[in-house]
Amino acid sequence: MNDHIFKNSLKISALLLMISATFFLADAAKGVAVTAGVMLSSVFVVSSGWILEKFENTEGSLFIKVYVFSIAIRFLIVLTLFIILLATTKIDEIYFTVSFIISYLCQSVTEMILINKFLQKSGS
């Protein structure tokens, strides 16, 4: 895998963060909300790339256990951060939630494509 998934996840996250920064041109509150949503989804997806990189050489069944366990832990962490952000800040909830969902879906699809490419190469 040679950390391609991790590096590419970081690149996609950086690109989405730059795009989200354009919302500051319209309104600072919307810019904060969109950027926070993108950053939160980036934590989940980039950490997935890191897990894949660190455990790529482990036995198949152990890798699956670690990866599935990490999904559950990362989901709980992101959900907790999501709730804390919405409960403790005066962030624009609609922009934050929509940007989080869109960014998460975009990055997850990209991650799945990268994983699929890796699996195709390793199966050849």
Side-chain angles (χ1 to χ4, degrees), residues 29-118:
K30 291 176 184 172
V32 168
V34 171
T35 303
V38 170
M39 287 178 66
L40 187 58
S41 67
S42 295
V43 167
F44 187 84
V45 175
V46 171
S47 63
S48 173
W50 182 80
I51 295 291
L52 288 167
E53 177 187 326
K54 291 300 176 189
F55 293 94
E56 72 176 312
N57 295 323
T58 61
E59 183 221 331
S61 64
L62 176 62
F63 175 80
I64 296 298
K65 287 177 188 175
V66 167
Y67 191 72
V68 170
F69 181 72
S70 77
I71 289 173
I73 296 299
R74 290 180 293 121
F75 177 76
L76 290 175
I77 290 170
V78 169
L79 182 62
T80 302
L81 290 172
F82 185 85
I83 291 169
I84 289 170
L85 268 169
L86 289 179
T88 62
T89 63
K90 300 248 185 224
I91 200 164
D92 189 328
E93 293 176 9
I94 296 297
Y95 277 87
F96 171 74
T97 305
V98 170
S99 68
F100 171 75
I101 292 169
I102 290 171
S103 173
Y104 174 75
L105 290 173
C106 176
Q107 292 184 68
S108 294
V109 167
T110 303
E111 178 186 28
M112 292 282 81
I113 290 169
L114 294 171
I115 291 170
N116 188 38
K117 284 182 180 180
F118 167 74

